[in-house]
Amino acid sequence: MLVVMQQGAEEAQIQKVIDRLTEDGFDVHRSTGTIHTLLGGVGGKEQFDPALFEQMDGVKEVHRIVSPYKLAAKAFRPEGTVINVGGLEIGGNNIVTMAGPCSVENRDQIERSADIVAEGGAQVIRGGAFKPRSSPYSFQGLGEEGLQMMREAADRRGLKVISEVMDSTQITLLSTYADILQVGARNMQNFNLLRELSKIRKPIMLKRGPSATIEEWLLSAEYILAGGNYDLMLCERGIRTFETYTRNTFDVSAIPVVHKLSHLPIIADPSHGTGRRDQVPPMARAAVAAGADGLIMEVHHDPDHALSDGAQSMYPPQYWELMKQLRLIAAAVGRSI
Ligand code: PEP
Ligand code: MN
C-alpha cells in the first residue's frame, strides 16, 4: 500500500500514519520528496480498508498495490484457465459460441432453436428455464419441464447446454440438465448462491452485474474459486450507464482488462449488452476482435413473438451470416471458431 501525505503535512501526522501502518503489520518505507512524503507499506494485513487511512489527518491519497482477489488474479495461473466441458474446451485457442432463445418456451420452439443453433455451428445451446424478469407479471420460465426439453433437443444434435440458476435450491436440478450453470447479472453479488456454487464441480458462467466494477466482479469470482470450483468463466453483458438508446452499454474494454487482470476465460454477451438485434452483430464482431474466449447470443425462430427479449434476439439468417463473419475475424486474430 502507498500512502501519499498532503503537501506540508506535519511530522506528527506522518508519524501517526507510520504508527498505524506498523500496528497493522506493515514494514514502512518512507520517502521524502520535494512536495510530498510517501509511505510505502509492505506486507501487513491482507484485508485492510484504505478508507481508514484516507481519513487520517494529513493524508492526501492511498493506493492499494496488491489486488484484493488472489485466486482470480492473473498471477495465480499466468498461463490462463482452460475449462473442459465434456470435451469442449473454453479458454483455449478456439472461441466457443453459445446461442439460443432467451427462454425455453415450448417443445416446438426449443427443437427449432436447436436446429438453428446447430446449423450456425455454435457448440452450446442457451435458454432460460428460470427467468429473472424485472416484472413479476412477465413470463417466468417453464422450470424443470423446460430444462428437460432443452436437454433432449441438445442431445439429439450434440450440443452442450447452458442455463441460469437463480437460487441455491435450484442447483441440483440445474446440474442434472445443464453442462454450464449461468449466474445472471442480478445475482452477481448473491454471495450465498456463489458460496453454494463453489462447492459443486460444474462449470459456472458468472455474468457481470449491471452496476459492478471489474474489481467487484472479480471479487465475486473469488467466492466461487475459494470454495474449490475452478471451472469458472466470466461474462460481460453490458453495464448500466446514462445512455438510453441501448438497453445496456456493452463494455468491450472489459475483455482486454479481464485478460490482463485474471486467468479466467471471458465470454461476451452482445444481446443483453445492447438490447437491440441490429446492434448485436457489430458488438459480437468487436468482442471477437477484442479477444473474447466465447460469445453467448440470443436467436429465436420468431423473435417478434418471443416470450422474452424478442427485440434483442436475432433472426436465424442474421445469426448464420454473423457466424461466417466471426470465423474470418477469429482467424485475423490468430484464433478459430
Ligand atoms: C439472460 O441470459 O437471459 C439474462 C437474463 O441475462 P442477464 O442476467 O445478463 O440479464
Ligand atoms: Mn435474455
Side-chain angles (χ1 to χ4, degrees):
M1 147 155 89
L2 183 68
V3 181
V4 182
M5 301 301 296
Q6 282 166 0
Q7 183 171 8
E10 291 164 18
E11 188 53 35
Q13 294 173 330
I14 295 171
Q15 200 49 56
K16 236 179 165 169
V17 177
I18 292 174
D19 291 346
R20 179 66 211 254
L21 283 167
T22 311
E23 199 181 303
D24 283 350
F26 288 97
D27 266 344
V28 185
H29 299 260
R30 179 174 176 164
S31 130
T32 311
T34 42
I35 303 176
H36 299 286
T37 292
L38 306 181
L39 302 173
V42 179
K45 273 208 304 213
E46 289 246 326
Q47 298 303 330
F48 71 93
D49 183 1
L52 286 176
F53 289 91
E54 269 157 6
Q55 52 79 48
M56 289 180 77
D57 290 340
V59 172
K60 181 169 181 276
E61 55 203 55
V62 179
H63 301 277
R64 197 192 270 280
I65 310 287
V66 180
S67 65
Y69 45 84
K70 302 280 171 263
L71 304 172
K74 184 87 174 173
F76 182 73
R77 210 184 249 174
E79 71 282 11
T81 284
V82 178
I83 303 165
N84 190 321
V85 185
L88 173 68
E89 288 195 340
I90 302 184
N93 192 61
N94 192 254
I95 299 170
V96 170
T97 44
M98 314 184 194
C102 179
S103 314
V104 182
E105 299 172 6
N106 54 59
R107 191 175 290 279
D108 176 58
Q109 175 247 16
I110 201 67
E111 286 290 335
R112 283 172 186 238
S113 301
D115 276 337
I116 295 162
V117 169
E119 188 174 335
Q123 301 101 323
V124 183
I125 185 167
R126 62 146 292 143
F130 297 98
K131 296 304 301 176
R133 306 305 303 279
S134 299
S135 161
Y137 308 117
S138 301
F139 176 59
Q140 304 287 310
L142 294 183
E144 180 167 9
E145 201 191 347
L147 287 171
Q148 202 164 358
M149 287 176 192
M150 182 160 55
R151 183 74 259 173
E152 287 168 14
D155 285 345
R156 276 195 274 276
R157 288 137 183 115
L159 298 168
K160 307 285 184 215
V161 167
I162 182 168
S163 200
E164 176 163 354
V165 56
M166 279 178 59
D167 78 68
S168 41
T169 60
Q170 297 165 351
I171 295 177
T172 309
L173 182 65
L174 260 296
S175 301
T176 309
Y177 294 103
D179 301 293
I180 307 171
L181 273 50
Q182 167 179 328
V183 177
R186 294 159 187 81
N187 267 322
M188 189 204 85
Q189 288 186 315
N190 180 342
F191 301 118
N192 288 334
L193 175 62
L194 302 182
R195 257 194 221 100
E196 291 304 315
L197 291 171
S198 79
K199 296 180 195 159
I200 62 165
R201 295 296 170 262
K202 264 274 177 187
I204 309 288
M205 185 178 83
L206 177 65
K207 286 191 152 198
R208 180 179 182 181
S211 60
T213 63
I214 292 174
E215 184 168 295
E216 287 164 341
W217 189 14
L218 291 172
L219 280 166
S220 288
E222 191 81 7
Y223 272 87
I224 296 174
L225 298 169
N229 189 351
Y230 289 99
D231 287 338
L232 176 63
M233 65 201 93
L234 301 169
C235 175
E236 164 59 41
R237 48 77 74 204
I239 48 175
R240 183 158 295 189
T241 68
F242 48 81
E243 182 53 67
T244 54
Y245 185 81
T246 46
R247 179 179 177 186
N248 291 293
T249 296
F250 183 60
D251 184 4
V252 190
S253 64
I255 297 165
V257 171
V258 163
H259 276 153
K260 186 167 182 172
L261 299 176
S262 179
H263 55 86
L264 297 171
I266 177 157
I267 311 298
D269 177 349
S271 307
H272 295 86
T274 60
R276 302 173 58 119
R277 83 171 64 88
D278 58 329
Q279 301 301 321
V280 173
M283 289 301 98
R285 295 191 293 259
V288 169
D293 299 297
L295 287 168
I296 183 162
M297 304 176 286
E298 289 183 344
V299 58
H300 195 285
H301 73 280
D302 182 11
D304 300 323
H305 296 97
L307 294 185
S308 59
D309 286 351
Q312 68 193 33
S313 298
M314 287 182 281
Y315 293 111
Q318 239 183 325
Y319 155 67
W320 293 324
E321 175 58 25
L322 173 61
M323 288 295 283
K324 286 188 202 151
Q325 297 171 350
L326 295 177
R327 287 191 186 98
L328 298 174
I329 298 170
V333 294
R335 297 184 81 172
S336 58
I337 287 194

Coordinates of all heavy atoms in Angstrom, one line a residue, residues 12-66:
A12 N 4.1 15.1 13.0 CA 3.3 14.4 14.0 C 2.2 13.6 13.2 O 1.9 12.4 13.5 CB 2.6 15.3 15.0
Q13 N 1.7 14.2 12.1 CA 0.7 13.5 11.3 C 1.3 12.3 10.6 O 0.7 11.2 10.5 CB 0.1 14.4 10.3 CG -0.8 15.6 10.9 CD -1.2 16.6 9.9 OE1 -0.5 16.9 8.9 NE2 -2.3 17.3 10.2
I14 N 2.5 12.5 10.0 CA 3.2 11.5 9.3 C 3.5 10.3 10.3 O 3.3 9.1 10.0 CB 4.5 12.0 8.7 CG1 4.2 13.0 7.7 CG2 5.4 10.9 8.2 CD1 5.4 13.8 7.1
Q15 N 3.9 10.7 11.5 CA 4.3 9.6 12.5 C 3.0 8.8 12.9 O 3.1 7.6 13.0 CB 4.9 10.3 13.7 CG 5.7 9.4 14.6 CD 6.7 8.5 13.8 OE1 7.6 9.1 13.1 NE2 6.6 7.2 14.0
K16 N 1.9 9.5 12.9 CA 0.7 8.8 13.3 C 0.3 7.7 12.2 O -0.1 6.6 12.6 CB -0.5 9.8 13.4 CG -1.2 9.7 14.7 CD -2.3 10.7 14.8 CE -3.1 10.4 16.0 NZ -4.0 11.4 16.4
V17 N 0.5 8.1 11.0 CA 0.2 7.1 9.9 C 1.2 6.0 10.0 O 0.9 4.8 9.8 CB 0.3 7.8 8.5 CG1 0.1 6.8 7.4 CG2 -0.8 8.9 8.4
I18 N 2.5 6.3 10.2 CA 3.5 5.2 10.3 C 3.2 4.3 11.4 O 3.2 3.1 11.3 CB 4.9 5.9 10.6 CG1 5.4 6.6 9.3 CG2 6.0 4.8 10.9 CD1 6.7 7.4 9.5
D19 N 2.7 4.9 12.6 CA 2.4 4.0 13.7 C 1.2 3.1 13.4 O 1.2 1.9 13.7 CB 2.0 4.9 14.9 CG 3.2 5.6 15.5 OD1 4.4 5.2 15.1 OD2 3.0 6.6 16.3
R20 N 0.2 3.6 12.7 CA -0.9 2.8 12.3 C -0.6 1.7 11.3 O -1.0 0.6 11.5 CB -2.0 3.8 11.7 CG -3.3 3.1 11.3 CD -4.0 2.5 12.5 NE -4.8 1.3 12.1 CZ -6.1 1.3 12.0 NH1 -6.8 2.3 12.2 NH2 -6.7 0.2 11.7
L21 N 0.3 2.0 10.4 CA 0.8 1.0 9.4 C 1.5 -0.1 10.1 O 1.3 -1.3 9.9 CB 1.7 1.7 8.4 CG 1.0 2.5 7.3 CD1 2.0 3.3 6.5 CD2 0.3 1.6 6.3
T22 N 2.4 0.3 11.1 CA 3.2 -0.7 11.8 C 2.3 -1.6 12.6 O 2.4 -2.8 12.7 CB 4.2 0.1 12.7 OG1 4.8 1.1 11.9 CG2 5.2 -0.9 13.3
E23 N 1.3 -0.9 13.2 CA 0.3 -1.7 14.0 C -0.4 -2.8 13.2 O -0.7 -3.8 13.7 CB -0.7 -0.6 14.5 CG -1.6 -1.1 15.7 CD -2.6 0.1 16.0 OE1 -2.1 1.2 16.2 OE2 -3.8 -0.2 15.9
D24 N -0.6 -2.4 11.9 CA -1.3 -3.4 11.0 C -0.3 -4.4 10.4 O -0.6 -5.1 9.4 CB -2.1 -2.6 9.9 CG -3.4 -2.1 10.5 OD1 -3.8 -2.4 11.6 OD2 -4.0 -1.3 9.7
G25 N 0.9 -4.3 10.8 CA 1.9 -5.3 10.4 C 2.7 -5.0 9.2 O 3.4 -5.8 8.6
F26 N 2.6 -3.7 8.7 CA 3.3 -3.3 7.5 C 4.7 -2.9 7.9 O 5.0 -2.3 8.9 CB 2.6 -2.1 6.8 CG 1.4 -2.4 6.1 CD1 0.1 -2.2 6.8 CD2 1.3 -2.9 4.9 CE1 -1.1 -2.5 6.1 CE2 0.2 -3.2 4.2 CZ -1.1 -3.0 4.9
D27 N 5.7 -3.2 7.0 CA 7.0 -2.6 7.0 C 6.9 -1.3 6.3 O 6.5 -1.2 5.2 CB 8.0 -3.5 6.2 CG 8.7 -4.5 7.1 OD1 8.6 -4.3 8.3 OD2 9.2 -5.5 6.5
V28 N 7.3 -0.2 7.0 CA 7.1 1.1 6.4 C 8.4 1.7 5.8 O 9.5 1.7 6.4 CB 6.6 2.1 7.4 CG1 6.2 3.4 6.8 CG2 5.4 1.5 8.1
H29 N 8.3 2.1 4.5 CA 9.4 2.7 3.8 C 9.1 4.1 3.5 O 8.1 4.4 2.8 CB 9.7 1.9 2.5 CG 10.1 0.5 2.7 ND1 11.3 0.0 2.7 CD2 9.3 -0.6 3.0 CE1 11.4 -1.3 3.0 NE2 10.1 -1.6 3.2
R30 N 9.8 5.0 4.1 CA 9.5 6.4 4.0 C 10.3 7.1 2.9 O 11.5 6.8 2.9 CB 9.7 7.1 5.3 CG 9.4 8.6 5.3 CD 9.6 9.2 6.7 NE 9.4 10.6 6.6 CZ 9.1 11.4 7.7 NH1 9.0 10.8 8.9 NH2 9.0 12.7 7.6
S31 N 9.7 7.9 2.1 CA 10.5 8.6 1.1 C 10.0 10.0 1.1 O 8.8 10.3 0.9 CB 10.4 7.9 -0.3 OG 10.0 8.7 -1.3
T32 N 11.0 11.0 1.2 CA 10.6 12.4 1.3 C 10.9 13.1 0.0 O 12.0 13.2 -0.3 CB 11.3 13.0 2.5 OG1 11.2 12.2 3.7 CG2 10.7 14.4 2.8
G33 N 9.8 13.4 -0.7 CA 10.0 14.1 -2.0 C 10.1 15.6 -1.7 O 10.0 16.1 -0.6
T34 N 10.2 16.4 -2.8 CA 10.3 17.9 -2.6 C 8.9 18.4 -2.1 O 8.8 19.4 -1.4 CB 10.8 18.6 -3.8 OG1 10.1 18.0 -4.9 CG2 12.3 18.5 -4.0
I35 N 7.8 17.7 -2.6 CA 6.5 18.2 -2.3 C 5.8 17.3 -1.3 O 5.2 17.7 -0.3 CB 5.6 18.4 -3.5 CG1 6.4 19.3 -4.5 CG2 4.2 18.9 -3.2 CD1 5.7 19.5 -5.8
H36 N 5.8 16.0 -1.6 CA 5.0 15.1 -0.7 C 5.9 14.0 0.0 O 6.9 13.6 -0.6 CB 4.0 14.3 -1.6 CG 3.0 15.1 -2.3 ND1 2.0 15.7 -1.6 CD2 2.9 15.5 -3.6 CE1 1.3 16.4 -2.5 NE2 1.8 16.3 -3.7
T37 N 5.5 13.6 1.1 CA 6.1 12.4 1.8 C 5.3 11.2 1.4 O 4.1 11.2 1.4 CB 6.1 12.6 3.3 OG1 7.0 13.7 3.6 CG2 6.6 11.4 4.0
L38 N 6.0 10.2 1.0 CA 5.4 8.9 0.6 C 5.7 7.9 1.6 O 6.8 7.7 2.0 CB 5.8 8.4 -0.8 CG 5.8 9.4 -2.0 CD1 6.3 8.8 -3.3 CD2 4.3 9.9 -2.2
L39 N 4.7 7.1 2.0 CA 4.9 6.0 2.9 C 4.5 4.7 2.2 O 3.3 4.5 1.9 CB 4.1 6.2 4.2 CG 4.3 7.5 4.9 CD1 3.3 7.7 6.1 CD2 5.8 7.6 5.5
G40 N 5.4 3.8 2.0 CA 5.1 2.6 1.3 C 5.0 1.5 2.4 O 5.9 1.3 3.2
G41 N 3.9 0.8 2.4 CA 3.6 -0.3 3.4 C 3.8 -1.6 2.7 O 3.1 -1.9 1.7
V42 N 4.7 -2.4 3.2 CA 5.0 -3.7 2.6 C 4.6 -4.8 3.5 O 4.8 -4.7 4.7 CB 6.5 -3.9 2.2 CG1 6.8 -5.2 1.6 CG2 6.9 -2.8 1.3
G43 N 3.9 -5.9 3.0 CA 3.4 -7.0 3.9 C 2.2 -6.5 4.5 O 1.3 -5.9 3.9
G44 N 2.0 -6.8 5.8 CA 0.9 -6.3 6.6 C -0.4 -7.1 6.4 O -0.4 -8.1 5.7
K45 N -1.5 -6.5 6.9 CA -2.7 -7.2 6.8 C -3.2 -7.4 5.4 O -3.2 -6.4 4.6 CB -3.8 -6.4 7.6 CG -3.8 -6.7 9.1 CD -5.2 -6.5 9.7 CE -5.8 -5.1 9.6 NZ -6.6 -4.7 10.7
E46 N -3.7 -8.6 5.0 CA -4.2 -8.8 3.7 C -5.4 -8.0 3.4 O -5.6 -7.3 2.4 CB -4.5 -10.3 3.5 CG -3.3 -11.1 3.4 CD -3.2 -11.8 2.0 OE1 -4.2 -12.1 1.4 OE2 -2.0 -12.0 1.6
Q47 N -6.3 -8.0 4.4 CA -7.6 -7.3 4.3 C -7.5 -6.0 5.1 O -7.5 -6.1 6.3 CB -8.7 -8.1 4.7 CG -8.9 -9.4 3.9 CD -9.1 -9.2 2.5 OE1 -9.6 -8.2 2.0 NE2 -8.6 -10.1 1.7
F48 N -7.4 -4.9 4.4 CA -7.4 -3.6 5.2 C -8.3 -2.7 4.4 O -8.5 -2.8 3.2 CB -6.0 -3.1 5.4 CG -5.4 -2.5 4.2 CD1 -5.5 -1.2 3.8 CD2 -4.6 -3.4 3.4 CE1 -4.9 -0.7 2.6 CE2 -4.1 -2.9 2.2 CZ -4.2 -1.6 1.8
D49 N -8.8 -1.7 5.1 CA -9.6 -0.7 4.4 C -8.9 0.6 4.1 O -8.6 1.3 5.1 CB -10.9 -0.5 5.3 CG -11.9 0.4 4.7 OD1 -11.6 0.8 3.5 OD2 -12.9 0.7 5.3
P50 N -8.5 0.9 2.9 CA -7.8 2.1 2.6 C -8.4 3.4 3.1 O -7.8 4.3 3.4 CB -7.7 2.1 1.0 CG -8.0 0.7 0.6 CD -8.9 0.1 1.6
A51 N -9.8 3.3 3.2 CA -10.5 4.5 3.7 C -10.1 4.8 5.1 O -10.2 6.0 5.5 CB -12.0 4.2 3.6
L52 N -9.7 3.9 5.9 CA -9.3 4.2 7.3 C -8.1 5.1 7.3 O -7.9 5.9 8.2 CB -8.9 2.8 8.0 CG -10.1 1.9 8.4 CD1 -9.6 0.7 9.0 CD2 -11.0 2.7 9.4
F53 N -7.2 4.9 6.3 CA -6.0 5.8 6.2 C -6.4 7.1 5.5 O -5.8 8.1 5.9 CB -4.9 5.0 5.4 CG -4.3 3.9 6.2 CD1 -4.8 2.6 6.1 CD2 -3.3 4.1 7.1 CE1 -4.3 1.6 6.9 CE2 -2.7 3.1 7.8 CZ -3.3 1.8 7.7
E54 N -7.3 7.0 4.5 CA -7.6 8.2 3.7 C -8.2 9.3 4.6 O -8.0 10.5 4.4 CB -8.7 7.9 2.7 CG -8.0 7.5 1.3 CD -8.9 6.6 0.5 OE1 -10.1 6.4 0.8 OE2 -8.4 6.2 -0.6
Q55 N -8.9 8.9 5.7 CA -9.5 10.0 6.5 C -8.6 10.4 7.7 O -9.0 11.2 8.5 CB -10.9 9.5 7.0 CG -11.0 8.2 7.6 CD -10.6 8.2 9.1 OE1 -11.0 9.1 9.8 NE2 -9.7 7.3 9.5
M56 N -7.3 9.9 7.7 CA -6.4 10.4 8.8 C -5.9 11.8 8.4 O -5.7 12.1 7.2 CB -5.2 9.4 8.9 CG -5.6 8.1 9.5 SD -4.3 6.9 9.7 CE -3.4 7.6 11.2
D57 N -5.6 12.6 9.4 CA -5.1 13.9 9.2 C -3.8 13.9 8.4 O -2.9 13.2 8.7 CB -4.9 14.6 10.5 CG -6.2 14.9 11.2 OD1 -7.3 14.9 10.5 OD2 -6.2 15.1 12.5
G58 N -3.7 14.8 7.4 CA -2.5 15.0 6.6 C -2.4 14.0 5.5 O -1.4 14.1 4.7
V59 N -3.3 13.1 5.3 CA -3.2 12.1 4.2 C -3.9 12.7 2.9 O -5.0 13.2 3.0 CB -3.8 10.8 4.6 CG1 -3.9 9.8 3.4 CG2 -3.0 10.1 5.7
K60 N -3.2 12.6 1.8 CA -3.8 13.1 0.5 C -4.5 11.9 -0.2 O -5.6 12.0 -0.5 CB -2.6 13.6 -0.4 CG -3.1 14.1 -1.7 CD -2.0 14.9 -2.4 CE -2.4 15.5 -3.7 NZ -2.4 14.5 -4.8
E61 N -3.8 10.8 -0.4 CA -4.5 9.7 -1.0 C -3.8 8.4 -0.6 O -2.6 8.4 -0.2 CB -4.5 9.8 -2.5 CG -3.1 10.1 -3.2 CD -3.2 10.8 -4.5 OE1 -3.9 11.9 -4.6 OE2 -2.7 10.2 -5.5
V62 N -4.5 7.3 -0.8 CA -4.0 5.9 -0.5 C -4.2 5.0 -1.7 O -5.3 5.0 -2.3 CB -4.7 5.4 0.7 CG1 -4.2 4.0 1.1 CG2 -4.6 6.3 1.9
H63 N -3.2 4.3 -2.1 CA -3.3 3.4 -3.2 C -3.0 1.9 -2.8 O -2.0 1.7 -2.1 CB -2.3 3.7 -4.3 CG -2.5 5.1 -4.8 ND1 -3.4 5.4 -5.8 CD2 -1.9 6.3 -4.5 CE1 -3.4 6.7 -6.0 NE2 -2.5 7.3 -5.3
R64 N -3.9 1.1 -3.2 CA -3.7 -0.4 -2.9 C -2.8 -0.9 -4.0 O -3.0 -0.7 -5.2 CB -5.1 -1.0 -3.0 CG -5.2 -2.4 -2.4 CD -6.5 -3.0 -2.9 NE -7.6 -2.7 -2.0 CZ -7.8 -3.3 -0.9 NH1 -7.0 -4.3 -0.5 NH2 -8.9 -3.1 -0.2
I65 N -1.7 -1.6 -3.6 CA -0.8 -2.1 -4.7 C -1.2 -3.6 -5.0 O -1.2 -3.9 -6.2 CB 0.7 -2.1 -4.2 CG1 1.0 -0.7 -3.6 CG2 1.7 -2.5 -5.2 CD1 1.2 0.4 -4.6
V66 N -1.5 -4.3 -4.0 CA -1.8 -5.7 -4.2 C -3.3 -5.9 -4.4 O -4.1 -5.2 -3.8 CB -1.4 -6.6 -3.0 CG1 -1.7 -8.0 -3.2 CG2 0.1 -6.4 -2.7

